[in-house]
Amino acid sequence: MPSETDPRAYAYLVGVGVTHSIAPPMHNYIAKALGHDWTFIAKECPTVEDAVELFRRSDFAGGVVTMPYKRTIMDHLDGLDEYAIRLGACNNVYRTSDGKLRGTNTDWRGIKGCLLGASAEGRGKPAVLIGAGGAARAAIFTLHDQLECRQIYLVNRDRDEVKVLLEEVKQVYGDGLEIIYVERVEQVAGLPSPYYIVGTVPDAEPSTPDEVEVHQIIGSFLSTPQEKGVLLDMCFKPRKTRILQAGQANGWKTAAKAGFKGVEIFYEDLEYLAKEKGPVNDSTLFAAAQEARAICDHYGLEVIGMQPFLFYEGLTDRAQHQEKIERLKLWFAIVKILGTDIIQIPSNFQSEGISGDLDLIVSDMIEVADMGLKEEPVVRFAYENLAWGTFISTWEDLWEVVRRVDRPNFGCCLDTFNIAGRVWADPASASGKTPGADAALAASLQSLVRTVDVNKVFYVQVVDAERMQQPLIEGHPFYVEGQPARMSWSRNARLFLYEQERGGYLPVVQVAEAFLKRLGFEGWVSMELFSRSMADPDPTVPETHAQRGINAWRKLAEELDL
């Protein structure tokens, strides 16, 4: 809610057909993570004036603009940045320090991330663009300026829209870009095969002759016997549009579906979703879990597990311990709704109120394991050593607990970041590494392969991190007093592997090879990521991160011949 110093309280997604959007819980999570007490609302606006009225309110915190107002909103704003001006469309509105409404365009970033995340092989090759509205202009900018496509086939039923767009393209791009307007299906056969296809129009059953012709043209492009590239449909209703279904049926990579088979669910995700339904209690949490399960079922995703069951083991206040045990009973009910049998417990990193007494830690873990054995189906626990854990910070510490608990449903989660980030890397060091890092890691991995029972590894996580340009100590932007440097590093600067251009430097492949080849693990591999980039308000952030993640997995699978 607004404060005396900051009246901003509400951010909006405005357009037509937006009430089904999954954006509100995502943006509410981001706002809270950034310390903003804002509420994000998907607001149906019959006219662009309705949207502007919301944006002009004193409690306006930010706006996302979607179909059909990406162009018409521009005339109602106080200013536009270079991207909105060049692209001729606006999808984000914010208030400047002097109270003015300013528009920008971030669509192109999402388009670029989705296409490159699926494949970079289309650089310089022809592309197809479906539509001639605001989103189409962002697609043209991405295809031409970012992906070097010099020839774009334009498919659109409205010839007047096409005429306006072609005039704009001529003014902005000159002779450096050739737009070929494809009006008839017969034209397709005479064109070089496109690699990228980007859809920017609503999903609707064709009814007029022009609409039928457009769909036939799209179908002809999709059914080409030549190389199949990447299809991105920016329409978000329904989730699987006609174009996406046709593309998948014809063997195209669909950028709207990254290719993951499973997902980890954070308890906090369910809490934020529950708040949309009322006060957070057992009832709203169960409803949130049911909704999350329905979304996963829709996309064919299996829930790997739920995490994190925080600050559990070694509590010196046994009344607090008992509260955790009671809370676990709620978690048992939730994981059944989600359809998973794994609860992940990260090692305790509290600075006070916990004991390093291994007997106490093991006893606590035996207690939850025995509770899980009584559940139907049995609930398993995956213990994870956090690189900044107070007493359990290495895989050796972790394994000693797992070994002593000695229950069939109590195992571990091995994480490349938490292993390499503990024994090999040090973000507080000028070199970014620990003394003797390479030898220490090699010895640690050799010992891991000899020691760990692979049947006790319930899943693994594979992720990299940025090398800090300066030591993560007091004065660093990520430094938080009283918080371990490795924790601050983890929260802000993780990366997917193979992202050296973003600063990635951990020996992730070496650690992953130990897990997946030498140890012989076969099971779920999670591309878990925490990063400041996830706080970007751009609505395409989840999709671009998903594409980066699946791209990293595919490269790893190829390198390790998995």
Side-chain angles (χ1 to χ4, degrees):
M1 299 304 293
S3 67
E4 294 182 1
T5 57
D6 186 354
R8 296 174 298 175
Y10 297 99
Y12 300 94
L13 167 65
V14 298
V16 174
V18 300
T19 53
H20 71 290
S21 173
I22 63 173
M26 176 186 73
H27 284 284
N28 287 331
Y29 176 90
I30 292 171
K32 183 171 182 179
L34 293 174
H36 299 309
D37 190 14
W38 298 347
T39 300
F40 188 92
I41 300 171
K43 185 69 173 178
E44 196 77 12
C45 293
T47 69
V48 69
E49 287 78 13
D50 294 323
V52 174
E53 183 178 349
L54 290 174
F55 292 176
R56 292 291 179 188
R57 290 175 48 164
S58 61
D59 56 6
F60 172 71
V64 178
V65 183
T66 189
M67 301 175 187
Y69 303 134
K70 292 187 179 184
R71 285 176 56 76
T72 54
I73 193 74
M74 298 170 71
D75 292 336
H76 297 270
L77 303 178
D78 302 316
L80 302 166
D81 74 357
E82 58 179 309
Y83 290 113
I85 293 172
R86 175 160 187 187
L87 275 61
C90 165
N91 75 318
N92 272 276
V93 177
Y94 60 96
R95 192 186 298 280
T96 61
S97 58
D98 60 356
K100 303 293 185 181
L101 291 183
R102 186 175 177 85
T104 185
N105 193 304
T106 59
D107 274 339
W108 68 272
R109 298 179 187 274
I111 297 170
K112 177 184 177 182
C114 289
L115 295 179
L116 287 182
S119 174
E121 295 180 13
R123 283 189 180 275
K125 296 180 181 180
V128 171
L129 173 61
I130 305 166
R137 287 156 170 82
I140 290 173
F141 173 80
T142 306
L143 292 168
H144 178 270
D145 284 37
Q146 306 296 314
L147 300 177
E148 303 167 16
C149 299
R150 299 293 180 256
Q151 194 174 61
I152 297 176
Y153 311 141
L154 179 62
V155 182
N156 192 65
R157 63 178 177 80
D158 191 320
R159 291 171 177 79
D160 290 335
E161 284 185 345
V162 171
K163 181 180 178 181
V164 172
L165 180 61
L166 292 178
E167 290 174 352
E168 289 182 12
V169 167
K170 186 66 175 177
Q171 292 176 357
V172 175
Y173 300 96
D175 296 330
L177 174 61
E178 181 184 12
I179 301 285
I180 298 176
Y181 181 31
V182 182
E183 299 182 79
R184 300 179 308 280
V185 70
E186 293 80 14
Q187 292 176 253
V188 176
L191 297 172
S193 182
Y195 191 87
Y196 293 127
I197 298 180
V198 181
T200 67
V201 298
D203 182 79
E205 183 71 33
S207 56
T208 68
D210 285 343
E211 290 172 348
V212 171
E213 184 77 20
V214 163
H215 277 258
Q216 289 175 344
I217 292 169
I218 296 169
S220 184
F221 276 122
L222 291 173
S223 61
T224 175
Q226 301 178 46
E227 181 182 27
K228 310 288 186 179
V230 178
L231 167 63
L232 168 65
D233 193 354
M234 295 178 67
C235 177
F236 49 78
K237 183 182 181 182
R239 303 292 185 203
K240 289 187 176 181
T241 63
R242 291 171 175 82
I243 294 174
L244 284 178
Q245 293 180 50
Q248 291 170 347
N250 281 281
W252 286 73
K253 296 177 184 176
T254 52
K257 182 179 180 182
F260 286 102
K261 296 181 180 179
V263 62
E264 291 187 73
I265 297 290
F266 270 63
Y267 174 77
E268 287 76 9
D269 296 334
L270 299 181
E271 275 196 332
Y272 291 122
L273 191 55
K275 289 177 182 177
E276 299 289 317
K277 306 175 185 304
V280 177
N281 52 39
D282 291 4
S283 178
T284 54
L285 283 168
F286 292 156
Q290 289 168 346
E291 183 173 340
R293 172 68 183 274
I295 293 172
C296 290
D297 288 346
H298 177 81
Y299 286 105
L301 293 170
E302 185 174 334
V303 178
I304 300 171
M306 186 168 78
Q307 66 149 310
F309 194 65
L310 281 171
F311 307 136
Y312 168 66
E313 80 279 24
L315 293 173
T316 55
D317 184 334
R318 301 314 284 175
Q320 289 184 8
H321 168 83
Q322 192 56 41
E323 290 174 2
K324 292 287 185 181
I325 291 297
E326 291 302 313
R327 192 66 177 169
L328 182 61
K329 296 174 183 177
L330 172 66
W331 279 54
F332 284 158
I334 291 174
V335 295
K336 286 183 174 66
I337 296 172
L338 293 174
T340 184
D341 67 343
I342 291 180
I343 291 175
Q344 193 235 64
I345 303 178
S347 60
N348 202 328
F349 55 91
Q350 290 172 296
S351 58
E352 298 178 347
I354 64 172
S355 169
D357 181 351
L358 196 59
D359 289 338
L360 177 61
I361 292 173
V362 169
S363 175
D364 286 347
M365 294 307 195
I366 288 175
E367 183 175 4
V368 295
D370 286 346
M371 289 175 64
L373 285 172
K374 296 176 183 177
E375 292 295 311
E376 181 59 44
V378 168
V379 174
R380 296 184 291 163
F381 294 89
Y383 192 30
E384 180 180 14
N385 62 289
L386 299 182
W388 59 93
T390 306
F391 297 109
I392 307 295
S393 62
T394 67
W395 74 261
E396 291 91 343
D397 300 331
L398 168 79
W399 184 249
E400 181 61 15
V401 175
V402 173
R403 186 188 66 80
R404 289 182 55 179
V405 169
D406 192 25
R407 295 294 190 275
N409 64 326
F410 191 86
C412 62
C413 167
L414 296 178
D415 183 338
T416 59
F417 174 87
N418 282 317
I419 290 179
R422 177 66 175 81
V423 69
W424 187 90
D426 182 0
S429 165
S431 68
K433 297 171 66 174
T434 58
D438 295 338
L441 180 64
S444 179
L445 294 178
Q446 184 176 5
S447 177
L448 182 150
V449 172
R450 288 198 313 263
T451 306
V452 171
D453 177 359
V454 70
N455 295 311
K456 288 288 190 177
V457 181
F458 292 164
Y459 69 102
V460 304
Q461 296 170 332
V462 177
V463 71
D464 199 350
E466 295 175 49
R467 177 176 177 177
M468 298 290 92
Q469 296 302 306
Q470 62 189 76
L472 206 165
I473 57 178
E474 188 172 359
H476 191 283
F478 300 158
Y479 176 80
V480 177
E481 185 177 358
Q483 182 167 288
R486 285 184 171 91
M487 180 178 176
S488 301
W489 180 42
S490 172
R491 290 290 179 262
N492 288 280
R494 289 202 191 193
L495 294 169
F496 295 109
L497 67 165
Y498 302 107
E499 294 190 327
Q500 287 82 1
E501 76 283 357
R502 296 175 183 264
Y505 81 115
L506 297 181
V508 179
V509 175
Q510 181 183 356
V511 182
E513 190 268 344
F515 296 168
L516 305 176
K517 301 292 282 190
R518 295 163 59 193
L519 185 63
F521 174 78
E522 295 182 358
W524 285 112
V525 178
S526 172
M527 314 301 282
E528 184 189 50
L529 184 82
F530 302 98
S531 173
R532 64 191 183 281
S533 64
M534 299 175 76
D536 188 331
D538 187 338
T540 64
V541 163
E543 191 165 9
T544 55
H545 279 69
Q547 291 298 333
R548 286 169 54 197
I550 200 65
N551 195 41
W553 164 248
R554 287 168 178 159
K555 289 181 179 179
L556 180 67
E558 181 178 358
E559 180 168 350
L560 297 185
D561 192 26
L562 299 175

